[in-house]
Amino acid sequence: MVEKVGRQNLDREFLIGKTVIKLAILSSQYWAPHSKLSPFFASWLEQVDVFVEGFRRELDFEMEADNQTRFARRADATDGCYVPRVYHRSRRIIEMEFVDSAASLSAAFPGSNSRRTRRARRRAGRQFLHAVISHLLVYREFHGDLHPGNILIDSDARLFFIDWGN
């Protein structure tokens, strides 16, 4: 089992950061009080709220666990694509299945350029494209943070998608 644990007091840190940024923007209005800049500064103030809310949503582990559970059910119908099961969730903790034999994509294919390695890379690429396109076309949603660190591959060339916060 793997546990993902969020830091304490994140809401407080977000509030402090948001306040500091907004004060910097407001002080810029003081130093450049030209009326034509007002809409620009107002837009910045709104963007700070949107930016902070995006981070807050990404760190909501209950939502992440719901996403992961939904995609795990869908992955059952897709060959070669797996999502670890969620055992328990709360706002700050997710307990999920541990994928013992899997490695990140960057570690799974070392610098070797042998025929066997190239074949394994092509197979993983086909599975990846099939999974992403299936989820996009059939379910009209997809993993929002795909990069080599969030895709694991095991010795049987099965792909595991992790980190469903986005």
Side-chain angles (χ1 to χ4, degrees), residues 1-152:
M1 178 170 47
V2 173
E3 285 191 12
K4 184 174 181 178
V5 180
R7 289 190 355 227
Q8 287 192 12
N9 297 326
L10 278 177
D11 286 332
R12 181 177 172 271
E13 290 180 32
F14 280 135
L15 180 62
I16 290 170
K18 185 165 89 170
T19 304
V20 167
I21 293 170
K22 284 188 168 192
L23 282 173
I25 293 169
L26 288 172
S27 69
S28 297
Q29 282 183 298
Y30 174 76
W31 294 107
H34 196 279
S35 64
K36 290 185 178 183
L37 294 176
S38 292
F40 177 70
F41 288 129
S43 174
W44 269 14
L45 290 171
E46 290 174 22
Q47 287 302 312
V48 169
D49 289 332
V50 170
F51 184 73
V52 169
E53 186 54 35
F55 268 115
R56 186 173 282 137
R57 271 196 322 269
E58 188 171 335
L59 296 172
D60 179 355
F61 285 0
E62 288 179 327
M63 184 186 72
E64 180 174 343
D66 290 344
N67 291 342
Q68 186 168 335
T69 300
R70 186 174 63 252
F71 275 85
R73 281 194 310 267
R74 293 173 180 174
D76 288 343
T78 306
D79 290 334
C81 169
Y82 302 91
V83 175
R85 302 285 178 231
V86 173
Y87 299 129
H88 176 74
R89 70 187 180 97
S90 71
R91 188 170 181 272
R92 290 189 47 248
I93 298 172
I94 301 176
E95 293 176 352
M96 65 190 100
E97 176 183 3
F98 178 63
V99 184
D100 189 28
S101 64
S104 71
L105 282 180
S106 13
F109 299 113
S112 170
N113 201 18
S114 68
R115 176 178 282 165
R116 185 177 185 183
T117 302
R118 288 192 308 267
R119 196 174 353 185
R121 285 181 182 163
R122 279 194 303 271
R123 181 177 176 200
R126 280 192 302 271
Q127 289 173 330
F128 173 79
L129 286 174
H130 176 70
V132 170
I133 291 171
S134 297
H135 283 235
L136 188 60
L137 295 177
V138 174
Y139 303 111
R140 296 181 183 212
E141 60 183 2
F142 60 96
H143 194 297
D145 190 20
L146 281 178
H147 59 78
N150 285 343
I151 304 168
L152 306 176

